[in-house]
Amino acid sequence: GHEIFSEAERAGWHQLIRKHLGDGKGRAALDLASGTGVISHLMNDMGFVVTGLDWSEAMLAQARAKAKKRKAEIRFIMRDAENTAEPRESYDVITNRHLVWTLVDAPAAFREWFELLKPGGKLLIVDGNMGRKSWVTHLRLALGGKPAHRNLAP
């Protein structure tokens, strides 16, 4: 979704981020395909200095409005997540959610992202198996059930 709907959900996201990236402590974070800024705001809450990057100005407008309302200092920029034009070795952490499955050239995107990380930096990807049947779906179908979602894969 484009929002956090409960404090339990917020705490769950913070726990996930903290487990893999630790606390912000002023470290620089890049949130790729930030959309309306959900992950950017979660990371800002945790003390990261966040740049949210998206190629939809409409989504970024919503993210900026949230930041203004929350009095959060988050930099939101309109760019392509596969070609960010950001300075090399400028981020301690990079995150993205629901992005990888949409990439046109995944190997090039990953090269780009790793070049943006400072030495020892971390990349956290939160994604799903979008459009592909999981083993759970195959089992459900074998047992005569219906798929939980429409299969989007070609």
Side-chain angles (χ1 to χ4, degrees):
H2 295 288
E3 194 51 71
I4 299 295
F5 295 103
S6 71
E7 288 308 310
E9 184 180 1
R10 182 178 309 285
W13 275 106
H14 283 156
Q15 181 181 5
L16 174 82
I17 294 166
R18 189 171 286 113
K19 175 182 176 180
H20 296 286
L21 303 177
D23 287 315
K25 299 180 182 178
R27 293 183 297 147
L30 177 62
D31 181 22
L32 296 166
S34 62
T36 63
V38 172
I39 303 299
S40 297
H41 283 278
L42 289 166
M43 296 191 68
N44 178 262
D45 293 345
M46 298 174 65
F48 287 94
V49 176
V50 181
T51 296
L53 179 149
D54 202 281
W55 69 348
S56 168
E57 187 55 49
M59 293 282 206
L60 290 169
Q62 291 181 46
R64 290 181 187 114
K66 284 182 194 178
K68 184 176 181 180
K69 182 177 180 180
R70 296 179 76 229
K71 296 181 174 74
E73 291 188 31
I74 301 172
R75 174 183 173 231
F76 288 105
I77 57 175
M78 189 171 82
R79 304 254 178 87
D80 181 350
E82 293 187 52
N83 186 17
T84 66
E86 286 293 282
R88 299 307 181 234
E89 295 188 8
S90 57
Y91 291 98
D92 298 293
V93 301
I94 296 175
T95 61
N96 65 68
R97 179 179 69 149
H98 302 169
L99 169 64
V100 172
W101 71 281
T102 70
L103 296 173
V104 174
D105 186 350
F110 276 84
R111 278 191 302 276
E112 164 87 4
W113 302 343
F114 284 115
E115 289 176 6
L116 297 177
L117 287 170
K118 295 176 183 176
K122 292 185 178 182
L123 171 64
L124 175 62
I125 298 170
V126 179
D127 222 313
N129 191 13
M130 307 301 190
R132 303 203 188 252
K133 292 180 184 174
S134 71
W135 68 270
V136 175
T137 301
H138 286 289
L139 179 61
R140 185 182 304 116
L141 292 172
L143 297 173
K146 293 182 179 178
H149 60 81
R150 189 179 93 222
N151 185 5
L152 302 176

